[in-house]
Amino acid sequence: MPSSSPYRLGVDVGGTFTDLFLLDEGSGDTWSAKVPSTPSDQSLAVLSGVEEILRKIPNASDVVLHVINHGTTVGTNAILEQKGAKVALVVTEGYRDILQIRRSQVPGGLASWITWKKPEPLAPLEMTIEAPGRLASDGSEVRTFDESAFEEKLQKLVGKEFDAVTICLINSFANAAHELAARKVVSKVFPKTPVSISSEVLPEIMEYERTITTVVNSYIEPAVASYLDGLLHALQERAKHLRILRSDGGLSSIKLAKRFPVTWVLSGPAGGVSGIVSVVAEQTRFKNLITLDMGGTSTDVSLIENGAPRIRRETKVGDLIVRAPSVDVRTVGAGGGSIARVPEVTKALRVGPESASAVPGPACYRRGGDEATVTDANAVLGYLPRFLLDGSFQIDLDAAKKAVQQVADDLNVWLYEAAEGILKISNETMYGALRLVSIEQGYDPKDFSLVAFGGAGPLHANALGVLMDSFPVIVPPSPGVLCALGEATTTLRHEISRPFIRVLEKTNKEDILNEYRSLLEEVIDVMCDVQGVPESKQQEHHFQADLRYHGQAHNVPVNLSLDALERHGLSAIRDLFEAEHKRLFTYHLQSPVELINLRVIAEVKKSRLPIRKLSKALLPDPATSSIASFSTLIFSGSEYRDCAVWTRSTLQSGHKLQGPCIVTEMDSNTLVHPGFIAEIDDMGNILISPISESSPSLVAMDKVSHGDLGLDSATVDIFEHALRNARKEMDTLMTRTTMSPAIREQQDEFNVIAEPSGKMIVGQFGSFIGDFLDSWKGTIEAGDVFLTNDPYSVAGAISHHPDWLILMPIFANEKLSRALLVAWTANFGHMTDVGGNVPGSLPTTACSVFEEGIQIPVTKVASKGAWNQDLMELIYRNVRLPEWNRCDVHALVAACTLAGQRMADLYKRFGDNTYFTAIEELLERNRKAVSSIIATSIPDEPVFFEDWIDDDGQGVGPWKIACMMSRENGRLVFDFSETDPQSPSSINFYLSINMFKMFVGIYLLMVYDPSVVANDGLQSLMDVYIPEGSLLRPIRPAALSCRTHFLGRLLDLISGLLGQKAPEFMTAAGFSDSPHFMYSGYKTSGEWFQLYWLGFGGIPARPHGDGPDAHSLWPAMKSIPNEFLELYYPLCMETYATLPDSGGPGLYRGGNAQFIRWRFLSEGEISIHDDRWLSKPWGVLGGEPGQRSSKVLARKDGGREILGSKQDRIRVRRGDVLEWSTWGGGGWGDALQREPEKVGLEVRRGLVSREGAQRYGVIVDKEGKVDEEGTRLLRNKMERKETDTREEEQQVFNRGGTWEELKEKCFKETGLALPKDPREVEFRGPMTRTKFYTAWKRREP
């Protein structure tokens, strides 16, 4: 007869082991087991583990488990290993490239596009179908959904192999009708194929995020359904219920898990957090916890507040970010297997993210690994006992020492210093993640305890507790199987959300309450009917709202009480939102608040676990029989001999262990540092605390060693890592809080942290603070804030008036009489408006800065913390969107303040000598690295390169930028003498010399050590000559507003210079610009609207492969969601696609251009800033040029106007359509060498046409199949003939013809008149008095 005792089993599948934790709810008895995982079929390990753990309990053969709660990586692995289903995708007409474009973002910093490899879309383009019909952002129907036409389109998929279908239609978040109709047709044509629709998976605004989330759901659905069905069948004799752990820490029934697998794609990390809640938060007095789960490859961290883990609304898996609720776990590439290395160029110690994994593993594991890892460093220092896994596994200490010694030799330090350095860097990486979930979220780590688990977490817990000042550090029992414990003890959960986009102040309280009541009914039905839980057992339901200030794009979720809403009305919501906004971002605004989503969450009531407590020790000191062995431990270069290695299973409640020592158990080891004591509580937790406030800490020991031994390399690397984190925090705050779409979405904001004299120590555009300090004559004190938008005031560091720059001095010891300047922080962001004669204030026809909006010279707007509010209001009075500017200035100041706090913390943490010495060492390290690259990669002979902007918006052009690069005495010299003089129009670009040097340095470092933090140390290695009065050094008051074209063209020029003699830098030309589009006017409601938007295009082909299609060259920029545009502006984005054949053919194809059809729904004015309409983005090394850009305005009455590339005040009427095409990237290498099958695939995907395939010498039939014989004949015919008549530059660069040839065909090929040559224009102004201008006039064209 089966046992009646209610057993709960948690099963967690990891990469190496499958962990199990069994709880008898009646007695509180627990058992654990660990069996090898079976990656090919995870269920085999699960079944094996179930049998093994049941053998540990009495009458096992009679036991039927009440429930098995399972955390699995089946879905995660399918994504990471690209072994998911083949997904067919249904999208709205005009959006077939939605996954190909992926919001145009290239991750990383400047020049990261050179090496970034774009991942393949999960739903291939050749399996994408465009559905007829269209909805507006309010859910109304623009075009009806034609079922018969759609069924005909689906015939394209008949006979093809695919496993699942995703349907995601534009604006379906507002109305699911078209998606439901489409699913009906798909199910009719393919009745056995699972279908996911985005309005059910993620009914939220933002079309790309909704699409990728729903595609992921489809991608993993068949595999997980098969897995769950098989496992359920195999366990039917052993368990009554099988449930799956969701990413948010709750459980899901099998039925829901199969339908929405995206909700548990990260169930593994959630299990550990749930375990901490169960064994620490619910069983002890410690309710505020920061968790650290360190495994072999990575570390997961999270925060628990008042016993509840924080939940985020998105999940990251590999390169994908999907919108699904998950425990706010942040993952970093720091684990026991993280590999330590020393790049030759920088000689900086790097640890991770590369990992030795389970095979070959750390050197000390004797599985073939020979590279030093974090585990090896722990072994060398004595922190890892010689015998692991209850004595069944012996480590190879000699192998560990040999591997770490290689790192020591590369660093020229001794063995133990290298080992400690590896651990310090690894700890700093984890410290950065811990700050992400605490400090960056507005929490003080001192108010939390750090809880460590996982196989490696307890080894590093004490050190990280010191860094965080989070005590006691807690190591729960069986830390290696804690995820399984969490899965055994958590409960069923479900949530339902719904869009509710309204300005709060204009919303009726009853409307909100009614919506919540409707959601509550739905969630109760699901919990009862699908999860199998009677309503009486459900916990009180949680009510949430996502809010933001009107104009922002980042949602802030808050928990609501419906009673409070009924009693206090809408103010209850606003108060909660503003408190949360201030906690997260340090300020709140007076702007209107906007509701975005409403949500109801239900979960089963959770009873307190009957976990047995440890027996009480009679004495605080354990018996010597509890000592398993002794070890020599190394801390800060000092040896501590005969340190005890305690056996954890023998310890009792109340035992105290003084450090240094180790506590060992089957699945983990806990390290206690000198000056700390570990106490065992009645739940078996190890609580590590300082013995006293004066106890030595790692930081204190660092300070002593620096004074005696000099600055060690690891400390400099730690400092560098901290700077990188500070900059990331600035970026995060800006993108989450600003209103200008250019900042919040397209990330047109750049920050700098500098040392006191103004040298940039982290940033991107180089420091301009030195120029400011040279010119500023006033005082500089703590609390001062400086503001400017005047390029002429800061030597071109900002380059036009929309860029508003905040500078702040950072002082340490502010409260003392002698405050010390320790840093500068600065940030600038592109404002949507600054006044001026056109909305957006980027007039193409401006002839001076006086037409380009308000000019703010460097001005102290706050003195000693007191703001000059009258001055700020005067500034805001002169712009069209004052609330937006006010909000964005708040964000700029908050970001600089945040970074200032981080620098002050670093100063306090490291002390005066180490702080400033580390800065100098970082500057010197950059100088040495770039000096080495210059010496080994840049040839002696000078190289010359020139490129052009086609016109200036006033019918004059092309305008030349030219540079000679040479190497002299180990330095690079750049001479721009042959650049054209400044233009009478606004295309001039005041080029900051520091910024140009930084661009060159970043390009050089990106190829050789992209992990390095670029700084001003490299400035001394370059000389730059830019003649005054030229396009790149205009004389005030020359107009600058349209400088974007030369700013972008500078990137092509750098590639052209560096690549001529150094192939690793040779890229084609491409999307080295950011076309601007502006649209403004009044809505029918009388409300003013004003859009500033950046376009993207074809990335150049590179030595590493094809250029991505319709992506951004600029770091981290991404497109504004089209649904967002349609919601807030009178627009219909009819087409958002790539342009076939626009990328230049080559061995590697240039990226295709962007093609958009903007339908205007209200009368207004548009402005366009673009280029490459006459010249072509050049190909290199045999590659062909990319296609030109074009802009055509199709009038509602049938007329068509070809627009110039730079035009303002173009009147548009309702129904007019702008057809917007950017340019493609140039090709790299001979197109005849490209694999024919790859060309055929791109024909099937619609990226290359059949006619375009012939430019590669490939013949493709109507079905997209390559004609091999026809291809062979065509390629033989197209063999290129060598010629000695071409100049060397033309052999490298293919511009599609000479300038004379391009000009001759201008009107015929573009429909636009040929611009007038600048030499035919009469120049006036101060530059005509310069020697440069006189020389230019005399020079032959």
Side-chain angles (χ1 to χ4, degrees), residues 174-376:
N175 184 349
H178 283 194
E179 287 195 350
L180 293 170
R183 179 167 64 183
K184 177 183 174 182
V185 177
V186 170
S187 298
K188 173 185 174 183
V189 179
F190 305 105
K192 297 182 179 180
T193 304
V195 182
S196 297
I197 65 175
S198 73
S199 52
E200 290 181 349
V201 174
L202 182 68
E204 297 181 8
I205 191 172
M206 297 175 77
E207 70 278 2
Y208 171 74
E209 286 75 7
R210 196 170 64 254
T211 303
I212 190 62
T213 299
T214 312
V215 167
V216 167
N217 199 73
S218 293
Y219 186 75
I220 62 178
E221 183 177 358
V224 301
S226 175
Y227 172 78
L228 294 178
D229 286 341
L231 186 60
L232 189 65
H233 177 75
L235 291 170
Q236 60 184 353
E237 301 296 327
R238 279 302 196 186
K240 293 181 179 179
H241 303 286
L242 174 63
R243 293 164 180 163
I244 300 300
L245 184 71
R246 294 161 46 106
S247 301
D248 62 6
L251 294 171
S252 175
S253 67
I254 293 298
K255 185 174 182 179
L256 274 182
K258 288 163 61 176
R259 185 179 174 191
F260 299 117
V262 74
T263 61
W264 50 275
V265 74
L266 276 185
S267 70
V273 179
S274 297
I276 295 300
V277 170
S278 297
V279 301
V280 179
E282 294 178 356
Q283 304 288 335
T284 74
R285 59 188 172 87
F286 303 108
K287 308 300 181 186
N288 290 341
L289 307 166
I290 300 174
T291 72
L292 174 83
D293 178 5
M294 184 179 180
T297 302
S298 61
T299 296
D300 298 324
V301 303
S302 68
L303 183 139
I304 297 169
E305 182 182 22
N306 295 324
R310 285 185 61 82
I311 303 297
R312 65 190 306 193
R313 308 310 304 176
E314 63 184 25
T315 300
K316 185 173 183 180
V317 185
D319 292 323
L320 297 175
I321 296 179
V322 296
R323 291 290 176 91
S326 66
V327 173
D328 188 5
V329 171
R330 307 299 174 96
T331 302
V332 291
S338 294
I339 296 171
R341 66 196 189 285
V342 182
E344 181 63 30
V345 171
T346 55
K347 287 295 183 182
L349 177 60
R350 306 293 186 206
V351 181
E354 297 83 7
S355 175
S357 302
V359 179
C364 65
Y365 280 6
R366 298 184 297 179
R367 294 173 182 163
D370 58 5
E371 293 183 283
T373 67
V374 171
T375 296
D376 294 312

Side-chain angles (χ1 to χ4, degrees), residues 349 377 404 407-409 411 413-423:
L349 177 60
V404 175
V407 173
D409 293 343
L411 291 171
V413 299
W414 66 319
L415 174 67
Y416 293 144
E417 186 175 352
E420 289 198 271
I422 292 170
L423 297 191

Side-chain angles (χ1 to χ4, degrees), residues 33-56:
K34 186 182 286 281
V35 299
S37 292
T38 51
S40 59
D41 183 355
Q42 292 188 10
S43 65
L44 297 178
V46 174
L47 296 172
S48 171
V50 169
E51 294 304 318
E52 177 166 328
I53 202 166
L54 287 180
R55 283 195 291 269
K56 297 184 178 185

Side-chain angles (χ1 to χ4, degrees), residues 472-549:
V473 170
I474 303 173
V475 181
S478 302
V481 296
L482 197 71
C483 289
L485 186 155
E487 286 147 15
T489 56
T490 191
T491 60
L492 286 162
R493 175 188 175 104
H494 189 66
E495 69 170 52
I496 295 179
S497 64
R498 188 174 297 161
F500 192 85
I501 304 175
R502 303 184 191 180
V503 174
L504 184 63
E505 288 77 3
K506 299 179 181 179
T507 305
N508 187 298
K509 176 184 72 174
E510 287 303 318
D511 290 344
I512 300 174
L513 289 169
N514 289 337
E515 199 73 17
Y516 273 126
R517 292 173 186 130
S518 173
L519 287 168
L520 182 59
E521 288 182 10
E522 286 188 47
V523 80
I524 288 174
D525 287 345
V526 172
M527 289 296 284
C528 293
D529 300 340
V530 185
Q531 301 273 57
V533 183
E535 184 182 349
S536 59
K537 288 185 64 177
Q538 291 180 5
Q539 190 181 25
E540 180 179 332
H541 303 91
H542 306 291
F543 300 89
Q544 264 187 7
D546 295 337
L547 303 105
R548 60 194 182 202
Y549 286 116

Side-chain angles (χ1 to χ4, degrees), residues 789 799-804 830-846 848-855 878-881 885 986 1039-1043 1076 1078 1080 1088 1090-1092 1167 1169 1208-1209:
N789 74 337
S799 47
H800 58 185
H801 292 170
D803 290 340
W804 286 22
H830 187 110
M831 302 293 163
T832 297
D833 195 79
V834 290
N837 66 12
V838 296
S841 305
L842 299 173
T844 61
T845 57
S848 74
V849 292
F850 304 111
E851 302 165 67
E852 298 177 330
I854 187 170
Q855 299 177 57
N878 281 274
V879 303
R880 294 176 176 85
L881 297 168
N885 291 57
S986 58
L1040 305 168
S1041 56
C1042 295
R1043 60 71 173 130
H1076 297 2
M1078 284 148 281
S1080 60
W1088 173 259
Q1090 184 175 328
L1091 171 65
Y1092 170 81
S1167 295
H1169 295 199
D1208 287 328
R1209 298 195 179 282

Side-chain angles (χ1 to χ4, degrees), residues 791-792 795-796 799 846 946-953 956-963 976-992 995 1025-1050 1053 1171 1206 1317-1319 1321 1323 1327-1328 1330 1332-1333 1336 1339:
Y792 291 105
S799 47
E946 58 187 357
D947 211 337
W948 290 263
I949 295 296
D950 294 345
D951 74 305
D952 62 0
V956 180
W959 296 86
K960 183 172 71 172
I961 176 176
C963 185
F976 287 88
S977 294
E978 293 194 34
T979 296
D980 281 348
Q982 70 184 56
S983 167
S985 76
S986 58
I987 63 168
N988 302 297
F989 173 38
Y990 193 143
L991 175 57
S992 163
M995 181 174 71
Y1025 172 68
I1026 305 174
E1028 186 180 33
S1030 68
L1031 285 163
L1032 302 181
R1033 185 55 56 81
I1035 300 172
R1036 193 175 187 274
L1040 305 168
S1041 56
C1042 295
R1043 60 71 173 130
T1044 185
H1045 310 296
F1046 275 120
L1047 172 59
R1049 197 66 79 252
L1050 202 65
L1053 180 133
D1171 203 63
K1206 305 167 187 68
D1317 192 286
R1319 291 182 176 275
V1321 175
F1323 287 83
M1327 84 287 192
T1328 59
T1330 64
F1332 157 74
Y1333 178 78
W1336 177 79
R1339 195 162 54 233

